[in-house]
Amino acid sequence: MPEAKRARSSELALSSKPVLPHIQSGRLRAIAVSGKERSSLLPTVPTVAESGHAGFDATFFETLMAPAGLPAPVVEKIQRDVRAALQATSIRSRLAEMDLRVEGNSSQDALTRSREDFAKSGTIAQKTKLQLD
């Protein structure tokens, strides 16, 4: 964000919530959102896919993980408790304010999604010859 404030960057990838005031004031212009759906905070801003890059989806997601081998009853209890918490109106409202959407997937869904995203990121890193210094 500091680079954007100093107008040294012509393009940035930023989370919508922190930059929303800057977009609303006109200091920044949103040209697309990276997810497969439009942002509830920026409903007039198209997705990258809608902007001509079919299939583009860089939806951010968070997954609650636990150590491998955790007993199934413990996993099931955690899942039940987290699902119950995510149904609370106060939690859903707060997440919506941050432009986050609750999905509450199963462990298998989360594993599949993580593997797909890791594979996609790995492919991008290889194609762009991305290296860590």
Side-chain angles (χ1 to χ4, degrees):
M1 189 66 186
E3 291 298 312
K5 285 184 178 179
R6 290 192 296 268
R8 292 187 181 164
S9 296
S10 60
E11 55 187 85
L12 300 165
L14 302 167
S15 174
S16 55
K17 178 63 177 175
V19 299
L20 189 60
H22 302 287
I23 293 169
Q24 291 170 330
S25 73
R27 292 181 71 200
L28 290 177
R29 182 173 65 105
I31 58 170
V33 295
S34 64
K36 60 184 174 185
E37 297 176 8
R38 289 186 181 208
S39 164
S40 61
L41 298 179
L42 300 167
T44 61
V45 177
T47 66
V48 173
E50 290 173 323
S51 300
H53 300 281
F56 186 94
D57 179 15
T59 302
F60 174 79
F61 77 102
E62 293 186 60
T63 302
L64 182 61
M65 296 187 181
L70 200 62
V74 175
V75 172
E76 291 164 8
K77 178 170 179 9
I78 292 169
Q79 287 176 330
R80 276 192 313 274
D81 291 349
V82 169
R83 278 195 189 103
L86 291 175
Q87 295 308 312
T89 303
S90 60
I91 299 292
R92 292 183 83 82
S93 295
R94 181 69 180 117
L95 292 172
E97 289 172 12
M98 296 185 295
D99 204 18
L100 299 174
R101 185 171 43 99
V102 175
E103 291 186 5
N105 296 328
S106 69
S107 296
Q108 188 57 49
D109 291 338
L111 180 61
T112 300
R113 172 71 187 268
S114 294
R115 286 181 175 160
E116 288 171 355
D117 274 17
F118 293 153
K120 183 169 47 172
S121 297
T123 300
I124 292 168
Q126 288 175 345
K127 285 184 177 181
T128 61
K129 297 181 175 41
L130 183 66
Q131 295 182 1
L132 299 176
D133 291 336

